[in-house]
Amino acid sequence: MSFEESLRALAKLSDKDLERPWGWPGKGAADLRNAFFYLLMEEQSALVVAATPTNEADRILALAQRAFGDLRGLLLAVPDTLLDREPARAEWSIRQTMDHTIRVERSYRANTQHALLRRDDDPLTLPEERRVRSDPADTAGGALAIVMALARRRAETDAALSGTDASQLGRPTEWAAVTEEFSVDVRFRLHRFGAHLVEHTQQVEKTLRALGQMETDAQAYVRQLSIIRARHERRSADAVRRRLDESAAAVAAGI
């Protein structure tokens, strides 16, 4: 069972379920609420010893990954039956919101790479024929599949841009907000990744409330677990993450 699969299973627990008995490994009898705290402490332990970002671009994108962790945790609690329901007439469903979110992740990456690689006499904006279009595969399937698609796109961004040298962060580019275009630089564009994820995390939250789904304690804990994992998953050792995945799977299997 993957980390995401385990969290999705745990997110289904009701507040009443958290009163059920659970054994804290190596300690003794507790309840299922404490199982979340056990997992959270394990993730925190991995975070505090993980390598730290080595340059400014990497530090900026680490903030985006933290924002991704929050959105991932939120989406893992979304029933598939709610993905295509509009919260109000002509308002985006969660699937439509995620189509936009993932497309913009890819678009921001393409535009930032253009700013880094273009010649000085090339246009500041990405040519129309190279602009990103939505990929239906990114939002096909259920909530778990969408989460994994966003994770892949985020990994592509970090692989492409986290090594950007400080000397390149001031390279000029343009960014459009609604109907206006602003002269900005690569540093600004890197900060946009996290800000955009925060924007649409809030949108998904509002959609869920409009659809009548209120966050349970388990779902709130799942979000925190996903956030802490996001803060170290690019930097912790594979063996550490496997051990953490196994701990989460063991808890999920026991519910």
Side-chain angles (χ1 to χ4, degrees), residues 82-140:
L82 296 185
L83 287 174
D84 297 301
R85 287 181 58 187
E86 294 181 352
R89 184 178 176 83
E91 291 190 6
W92 283 353
S93 67
I94 292 173
R95 192 185 304 277
Q96 288 171 313
T97 299
M98 292 312 303
D99 177 75
H100 167 82
T101 302
I102 298 174
R103 180 184 62 78
V104 170
E105 174 81 24
R106 296 168 54 225
S107 177
Y108 280 3
R109 180 171 69 252
N111 279 278
T112 306
Q113 288 178 303
H114 174 72
L116 290 168
L117 299 174
R118 71 175 184 83
R119 297 189 303 269
D120 290 342
D121 58 348
D122 286 338
L124 284 175
T125 57
L126 192 67
E128 178 65 33
E129 67 272 14
R130 291 172 51 197
R131 294 186 182 179
V132 169
R133 304 289 186 266
S134 292
D135 183 347
D138 286 335
T139 51

Side-chain angles (χ1 to χ4, degrees), residues 105-248:
E105 174 81 24
R106 296 168 54 225
S107 177
Y108 280 3
R109 180 171 69 252
N111 279 278
T112 306
Q113 288 178 303
H114 174 72
L116 290 168
L117 299 174
R118 71 175 184 83
R119 297 189 303 269
D120 290 342
D121 58 348
D122 286 338
L124 284 175
T125 57
L126 192 67
E128 178 65 33
E129 67 272 14
R130 291 172 51 197
R131 294 186 182 179
V132 169
R133 304 289 186 266
S134 292
D135 183 347
D138 286 335
T139 51
L144 180 60
I146 294 173
V147 163
M148 300 310 294
L150 177 57
R152 288 191 296 273
R153 297 304 193 180
R154 279 254 62 255
E156 291 168 0
T157 295
D158 288 356
L161 300 175
S162 63
T164 301
D165 189 80
S167 64
Q168 297 179 293
L169 297 180
R171 284 187 62 82
T173 181
E174 289 186 347
W175 173 73
V178 191
T179 59
E180 298 293 326
E181 286 195 350
F182 300 100
S183 295
V184 298
D185 57 20
V186 166
R187 179 181 284 107
F188 178 97
R189 277 205 165 276
L190 290 178
H191 278 291
R192 281 298 305 161
F193 285 98
H196 190 254
L197 290 167
V198 169
E199 176 185 357
H200 293 293
T201 299
Q202 175 65 9
Q203 184 177 357
V204 172
E205 284 187 7
K206 290 170 67 176
T207 300
L208 288 170
R209 287 196 295 270
L211 295 176
Q213 175 153 314
M214 301 296 108
E215 189 171 66
T216 65
D217 286 356
Q219 290 165 359
Y221 300 150
V222 160
R223 287 179 73 173
Q224 292 303 312
L225 284 166
S226 181
I227 289 169
I228 298 298
R229 171 61 69 93
R231 292 181 60 193
H232 73 77
E233 62 191 339
R234 293 280 192 268
R235 313 175 199 291
S236 50
D238 290 346
V240 170
R241 294 193 304 279
R242 282 196 299 271
R243 177 179 57 79
L244 294 172
D245 290 350
E246 290 168 0
S247 294

